[in-house]
Amino acid sequence: MSEAVSPDLLPLTAQDGPDGLSVGGVSLVELGRRFGTPLFVYDEEHLRRRCREAVAAFGPGLVAYASKAFLCTAMARLAHEEGLLLDVASGGELRVALNAGVPGDRIVLHGNNKDDGELLAAVRAGVRHVVVDNFDEMDRIERLATVHGLAPVPVVLRVAPGVAAGGHQAIRTGGTDSKFGFGLATGAAAAAVRRARSSGAMALEGVHAHVGSQVLDAGRLADGAATIARFAVESGVAGLTVGGGLGVAYEGGERVPSFAEWATGVRTAVRDAGWTGPFVVEPGRSVTARAGLTLYRVGTIKHIEGVRTYVGVDGGMSDNIRPALYGGRYEAFLPRAPFADRPLRARLVGKHCESGDILVDDAALPADLAVSDLLATPVTGAYGYAMASNYNKLPRPAVVFVRDGGARLVVRRETEDDLLRLDVPGPGERPGAAGVAQVTARRLTTA
Ligand code: LLP
């Protein structure tokens, strides 16, 4: 493969011009200079369009954005403005959604091990419902209801339907051997329905299943939906959620189902199963992945004769753990010459202290790639920033939204002071001891 990067991997407003590739009317080269690298860039128009497409395919009020894919206050606000509900999977995600002004009744709380604090915060925020995962959580809700005198908590029951799908073992969730949900095959799901109905602490609103993530076969998503829909009909509940999971293309030439195809498949499947009511979906990756890309600066190129070429950039597994964790495959291109041929084969690596710190194992790149070049990896908008870490004490990147020729910083870059923020000074020590070199700040101004 030496052809140029496929436009299908780029954000929708990406355009080639004299200054190289622009997104949202802003040159990526300019963004790299202005905000420094590594940098997550999101095409706001793309994000909004994906939200609208999802609502058009499934119906108003029937799409919950799975915020784990990418969440910050600006993203929560955007999804809410576009009419999506928010699926949060922890007290922290709930906090961000509330901080964005998303009303409680537009939020659903997930999680296989919610603690008292998370449950109480959700109930106090008036969440639409809590997706209850297990009997211990039911115990907890009943205890909290007694202690705090809560009105019956609206609940949806998470079911393990025995249908698992997805791009990697780690992200297949719906099987019987799963930490998530009440098993259908074991009878636990039916028992959970009975218990929720007989409990004064819970108001049973429906059932839920999520089979897995990065699913490229819409048929598998329909199979999962059919199974949980049959159970919903049998148990006579009023609500049905069929989860998220629609996959995206990470490399050129991969074919992925559209929201409309996903919707048609699921609609047919649940109807065939006898479900006549509406159903909710929870897309995460398919909303944000392609809208985002990561900009890096090339710092070193090493040719090992007869072996391979390594291209080292200023980020790595701390801003994209997916290759290391799931064998995730990506492409790379140069924003200054986005559609140039890419005859050079190289391993794109980060700056972390291990050999597994690979961003693209066998990247195709232009032959004139040079140190100091700005380089981009597309389709990093889901589970990139969301899973970023401070490994090797790298400050996490900034995030910008671009639209109509303007760029706005929505998450600032971490500084080295941020890296010391949680360290508790010993007796007599000052926080953030003297002599700390502000390397980060320097990099920002010289990029
Ligand atoms: N609903 C539930 C209950 C989920 O657990 C998930 C994802 C979603 C919806 C959204 O799935 P999506 O539409 O994004 O596929 N870190 C992994 C993905 C983990 C997905 C976890 N649950 C990755 O980078 O591939």
Side-chain angles (χ1 to χ4, degrees):
M1 178 184 70
S2 76
E3 25 357 312
V5 68
S6 161
D8 293 347
L9 300 180
L10 302 178
L12 289 167
T13 69
Q15 259 189 334
D16 199 6
D19 204 11
L21 198 76
S22 68
V23 176
V26 188
S27 143
L28 294 181
V29 171
E30 172 57 29
L31 285 172
R33 250 189 242 125
R34 181 167 154 207
F35 294 100
T37 51
L39 181 69
F40 282 91
V41 179
Y42 282 84
D43 180 349
E44 188 172 338
E45 185 56 33
H46 185 135
L47 289 171
R48 289 184 185 277
R49 265 196 244 170
R50 286 302 276 170
C51 291
R52 284 174 209 160
E53 279 171 33
V55 172
F58 291 97
L62 298 176
V63 183
Y65 169 58
S67 68
K68 68 205 77 186
F70 167 59
L71 182 63
C72 61
T73 302
M75 182 62 211
R77 194 169 286 144
L78 183 152
H80 174 59
E81 283 168 3
E82 295 298 340
L84 274 59
L85 307 170
L86 251 80
D87 145 3
V88 300
S90 71
E93 288 182 356
L94 174 64
R95 174 79 192 270
V96 176
L98 294 173
N99 186 53
V102 179
D105 66 359
R106 305 294 292 174
I107 299 173
V108 302
L109 179 69
H110 271 282
N112 73 306
N113 185 12
K114 309 171 190 74
D115 63 26
D116 285 8
E118 290 174 312
L119 287 167
L120 258 187
V123 170
R124 292 201 164 127
V127 297
R128 191 179 201 85
H129 55 245
V130 172
V131 183
V132 174
D133 187 273
N134 53 66
F135 292 111
D136 297 306
E137 188 177 340
M138 290 191 169
D139 292 346
R140 231 166 277 158
I141 291 174
E142 289 181 334
R143 187 169 39 74
L144 289 172
T146 308
V147 173
H148 298 275
L150 307 176
V153 176
V155 298
V156 159
L157 305 181
R158 174 142 186 185
V159 172
V163 179
H168 185 276
Q169 175 56 33
I171 56 177
R172 291 177 205 132
T173 46
T176 301
D177 180 2
S178 169
K179 74 166 178 169
F180 297 103
F182 300 99
L184 194 57
T186 59
V193 168
R194 288 194 295 276
R195 173 154 172 198
R197 280 216 173 101
S198 63
S199 167
M202 291 176 267
L204 179 62
E205 298 205 331
V207 293
H208 169 290
H210 168 75
V211 297
S213 194
Q214 183 58 10
V215 182
L216 295 170
D217 174 0
R220 296 298 290 155
L221 293 172
D223 291 346
T227 308
I228 188 66
R230 266 194 299 276
F231 179 65
V233 172
E234 275 163 33
S235 12
V237 293
L240 174 66
T241 303
V242 301
L246 186 69
V248 303
Y250 285 100
E251 295 181 295
E254 282 178 288
R255 157 95 188 101
V256 295
S258 64
F259 280 146
E261 286 166 310
W262 179 23
T264 304
V266 172
R267 201 165 280 133
T268 308
V270 302
R271 294 285 172 272
D272 289 352
W275 179 261
T276 51
F279 59 88
V280 173
V281 286
E282 298 168 334
R285 185 190 319 264
S286 51
V287 175
T288 60
R290 187 181 153 196
L293 54 79
T294 313
L295 296 180
Y296 300 100
R297 189 73 59 186
V298 175
T300 171
I301 301 174
K302 168 178 170 175
H303 300 285
I304 309 174
E305 197 48 47
V307 180
R308 75 168 80 241
T309 297
Y310 281 88
V311 174
V313 295
D314 54 356
M317 65 197 304
S318 55
D319 59 71
N320 189 358
I321 190 71
R322 299 196 68 264
L325 211 49
Y326 318 117
R329 295 164 66 93
Y330 289 82
E331 294 202 27
F333 69 93
L334 299 184
R336 66 169 164 81
F339 299 115
D341 275 352
R342 298 177 298 171
L344 174 69
R345 310 303 307 212
R347 178 171 285 173
L348 185 69
V349 296
K351 59 183 281 154
H352 293 278
C353 297
E354 57 180 272
S355 298
D357 174 25
I358 295 171
L359 290 166
V360 187
D361 188 46
D362 187 25
L365 288 160
D368 67 346
L369 170 80
V371 167
S372 296
D373 257 331
L374 185 75
L375 178 148
T377 51
V379 204
T380 56
Y383 305 110
Y385 191 82
M387 295 203 291
S389 76
N390 287 129
Y391 183 35
N392 291 137
K393 290 293 183 211
L394 260 63
R396 280 176 296 176
V399 182
V400 294
F401 278 16
V402 288
R403 190 190 197 187
D404 295 336
R408 65 182 169 115
L409 188 64
V410 297
V411 183
R412 73 160 170 82
R413 182 178 305 283
E414 278 181 330
T415 65
E416 288 173 3
D417 282 344
D418 290 326
L419 298 176
L420 294 172
R421 200 178 46 199
L422 306 181
D423 287 9
V424 180
E429 289 173 11
R430 284 186 298 117
V436 176
Q438 283 295 322
V439 180
T440 314
R442 210 164 45 236
R443 195 167 66 219
L444 265 173
T445 52
T446 57

